[in-house]
Amino acid sequence: MADLIDHIEALSANIGPRPVSTEEEHQASCYVAQELTDAGLEVDMDEFATPSGVNWPFGIAFVLMIVGTVLSGFGLFFDGVSTAFLAVGLVLLVVGAIIYFAEHSDHPLLSNAFNRGVSQNVVA
């Protein structure tokens, strides 16, 4: 049986990050199942529904940025509420930009929360 550091190396360096419902997650489950089987345990893999990736968070981000930009410009036409329109518009613009850049990075905000896919538990 491998040392603990070998398991850490296999899961972190060889397989890498394991977001929900990805091939990497499946590889990690298979690795753990094989190691437990090699240790003499009876192993069962249970599959269940989980999140998976889609592009709708980018649409939400773009809509927020467009609405924020339009609201920011309304202050030019409505004198009494120009500061309020500018503030709300800038907030929407910043929130949309944060969502957009977070979805492109390794820390997606919305796509991990509401998607559907298949994941598995390893039971020994």
Side-chain angles (χ1 to χ4, degrees), residues 55-68 96-97 99-100 104:
N55 291 325
W56 64 266
F58 294 107
I60 291 174
F62 284 126
V63 167
L64 287 174
M65 289 188 283
I66 290 169
V67 169
I99 291 170
Y100 177 80
H104 271 295

Side-chain angles (χ1 to χ4, degrees), residues 85-110:
F85 275 121
L86 178 64
V88 171
L90 289 177
V91 167
L92 291 176
L93 185 62
V94 168
V95 169
I98 289 171
I99 291 170
Y100 177 80
F101 288 112
E103 291 295 326
H104 271 295
S105 72
D106 290 334
H107 308 289
L109 296 174
L110 297 179

Side-chain angles (χ1 to χ4, degrees), residues 21 47-51 116-119:
S21 299
E47 292 188 351
F48 57 94
T50 59
R116 296 279 178 235
V118 176
S119 188

Side-chain angles (χ1 to χ4, degrees), residues 22-111:
T22 62
E23 179 60 30
E24 291 82 6
E25 182 194 33
H26 181 70
Q27 289 174 1
S29 297
C30 290
Y31 174 80
V32 170
Q34 185 61 50
E35 289 298 317
L36 292 172
T37 301
D38 292 347
L41 299 171
E42 185 178 325
V43 176
D44 185 32
M45 289 181 62
D46 298 327
E47 292 188 351
F48 57 94
T50 59
S52 65
V54 294
N55 291 325
W56 64 266
F58 294 107
I60 291 174
F62 284 126
V63 167
L64 287 174
M65 289 188 283
I66 290 169
V67 169
T69 303
V70 170
L71 280 179
S72 296
F74 274 175
L76 298 173
F77 304 107
F78 303 105
D79 288 332
V81 291
S82 61
T83 305
F85 275 121
L86 178 64
V88 171
L90 289 177
V91 167
L92 291 176
L93 185 62
V94 168
V95 169
I98 289 171
I99 291 170
Y100 177 80
F101 288 112
E103 291 295 326
H104 271 295
S105 72
D106 290 334
H107 308 289
L109 296 174
L110 297 179
S111 61

